[in-house]
Amino acid sequence: MSGNTTLRVFSALAVRAPFDALEQAFLQQHPHCELTLEWNPTSVIEKKIAAGAPADAAILTVPVIERLIEEGVIIADSRVDLVDSRIGLAILPDAVAPDISSLSALKQTLLAARSVAWSLGGASGIYFQTLIERLGIEAEMTSRGTTIPEGFTASQLLTGKADLALQQISELLMVPGVKVIGPLPDEAQKVTAFAGGIFRAAANPQDAAALLASLRTPQARATFESFGLTCRE
């Protein structure tokens, strides 16, 4: 292939943390390629796709990838399963880590917090809304919550707007100067699976396929796992 080619990818935020290293490894192997990554919650990317925004590949939650395949938007044979992501909590480094070892302990920690930050557009924040309803603390959390439409919730710790931040662990790790205290307990956890696929209307399907294949190498798997993600078989 002669000349440079552009590869445009829509990707959910959950895999952003490890992507600096993964992107550099890919570009070293494909120096002709100019990689453009657009990072948003899956729900925002769904709206972009529905509005006709063009891209070559997408990394999204598995249910959305499966729906796009059913609709003929993503090529079925191009699907690549990538990682499972868990939700966690973060605090400032000098704060005392609260107990989140059980469902009852988590509930008390959430109630004791001055404010909890979550994202209204992300998979973790959408799930958190159902969790606090199940725990019977929706009114308390909503009245004191610090919500953002999208982005990294741990940034709200640094501004002093919240003292707990909830999000995918890999997304919490994107914010320097905070401390992840761990995943939610199993009784409260929601594991979100992510996969990639190539758009049927892709302008550059060859490089898109190469990028998705590069995310399944042993080196990529080690990088994903170093950011709290579990690689899918």
Side-chain angles (χ1 to χ4, degrees):
M1 187 179 294
S2 60
N4 286 351
T5 61
T6 298
L7 174 59
R8 187 179 183 189
V9 179
F10 293 155
S11 183
L13 288 166
V15 298
R16 184 166 184 178
F19 229 87
D20 283 345
L22 299 175
E23 179 180 358
Q24 291 306 310
F26 173 76
L27 292 176
Q28 287 174 6
Q29 295 295 319
H30 301 82
H32 65 274
C33 187
E34 296 179 1
L35 181 57
T36 299
L37 289 152
E38 295 189 22
W39 300 101
N40 294 108
T42 290
S43 60
V44 174
I45 296 173
E46 285 184 275
K47 293 176 182 177
K48 286 185 178 183
I49 295 170
D56 298 298
I59 299 170
L60 303 168
T61 61
V62 164
V64 173
I65 287 288
E66 290 176 343
R67 178 177 60 76
L68 293 173
I69 288 172
E70 290 175 2
E71 294 174 354
V73 177
I74 295 282
I75 301 169
D77 290 347
S78 73
R79 172 178 168 172
V80 175
D81 285 302
L82 294 173
V83 295
D84 288 335
S85 179
R86 286 170 171 77
I87 299 170
L89 286 169
I91 57 176
L92 289 174
D94 57 353
V96 177
D99 184 4
I100 59 170
S101 60
S102 67
L103 189 61
S104 60
L106 173 66
K107 179 178 178 178
Q108 293 307 310
T109 289
L110 293 174
L111 287 171
R114 176 176 54 85
S115 182
V116 179
W118 69 91
S119 168
L120 296 174
S124 59
I126 293 170
Y127 166 70
F128 185 61
Q129 295 283 162
T130 67
L131 176 63
I132 58 178
E133 182 179 356
R134 173 160 67 96
L135 293 175
I137 57 173
E138 182 179 15
E140 295 94 328
M141 291 296 98
T142 301
S143 66
R144 298 187 273 113
T146 300
T147 58
I148 58 175
E150 60 178 290
F152 298 113
T153 63
S155 63
Q156 303 304 305
L157 302 175
L158 302 178
T159 62
K161 292 180 179 178
D163 49 8
L164 278 178
L166 177 137
Q167 207 161 32
Q168 309 284 347
I169 291 174
S170 60
E171 295 176 58
L172 295 173
L173 289 169
M174 279 298 297
V175 180
V178 304
K179 179 170 68 175
V180 177
I181 58 175
L184 300 184
D186 289 345
E187 313 98 293
Q189 185 61 255
K190 180 175 174 60
V191 178
T192 303
F194 291 87
I198 300 171
F199 287 100
R200 191 169 298 279
N204 188 0
Q206 295 89 352
D207 284 331
L211 174 66
L212 293 180
S214 76
L215 301 180
R216 292 284 294 174
T217 63
Q219 295 86 350
R221 292 170 70 88
T223 301
F224 279 132
E225 290 176 357
S226 71
F227 283 91
L229 298 161
T230 303
C231 293
R232 307 195 88 208
E233 297 302 326

